[in-house]
Amino acid sequence: MKYLKQLFIIVIVSFVGELIHFFVPLPIPASIYGLVILFLLLEFKIIKLEKVKDASSFLLGIMPIFFVPPCVGFINAFPLMKQYGVQFMVIGIGTTILVMVSTGWVVQLIMKAKERKTKKKEEENA
């Protein structure tokens, strides 16, 4: 029952992301809205990590299964990929580097903000 409750919370947050995607005319996938909402709910401790930890660990564990359909799609599109292979490689490598760099920057910003917050709390307590 615990897993169902946790999964229900994740599904509700994902549904809210879908609603936002429906009403906000931006080219952002609904799953990104859902992830940001869940992150904010966890960060501001509106939802405690324990309320979604086990279900999210399970979903992360089976995540490779979700990549099977896209891989089949690549196999079906192989003739097209063969024709434009160099362009696909350049785009794939370029976007991978872009995502890695931007993720690193965001993580560093978050870590610095948390560090400043911790120092501020320590100064207030001293």
Side-chain angles (χ1 to χ4, degrees):
M1 193 65 167
K2 176 173 86 170
Y3 288 105
L4 286 176
K5 288 179 183 176
Q6 292 182 9
L7 192 59
F8 182 72
I9 293 170
I10 294 170
V11 168
I12 291 297
V13 171
S14 297
F15 179 70
V16 171
E18 290 286 342
L19 287 175
I20 292 172
H21 177 70
F22 182 76
F23 289 111
V24 178
L26 293 175
I28 299 172
S31 59
I32 300 301
Y33 286 123
L35 285 172
V36 170
I37 292 167
L38 185 59
F39 171 75
L40 292 173
L41 291 172
L42 289 169
E43 185 65 27
F44 292 115
K45 298 188 179 19
I46 297 167
I47 294 177
K48 294 183 180 177
L49 180 61
E50 294 78 31
K51 297 286 186 185
V52 293
K53 186 176 182 178
D54 295 327
S56 59
S57 294
F58 170 73
L59 291 172
L60 284 172
I62 64 168
M63 188 169 27
I65 295 170
F66 298 124
F67 289 105
V68 172
C71 291
V72 171
F74 277 126
I75 292 170
N76 290 337
F78 186 72
L80 182 65
M81 291 174 58
K82 191 174 177 184
Q83 183 179 0
Y84 298 104
V86 174
Q87 290 93 331
F88 279 120
M89 290 297 288
V90 169
I91 291 169
I93 292 170
T95 55
T96 299
I97 291 170
L98 182 67
V99 167
M100 289 171 63
V101 168
S102 61
T103 302
W105 283 342
V106 169
V107 168
Q108 286 179 347
L109 287 172
I110 292 171
M111 288 173 63
K112 286 178 184 177
K114 281 191 174 190
E115 188 176 301
R116 278 187 247 126
K117 187 178 178 182
T118 304
K119 285 182 181 179
K120 186 177 177 182
K121 281 186 179 180
E122 288 175 357
E123 290 174 358
E124 289 174 359
N125 292 336

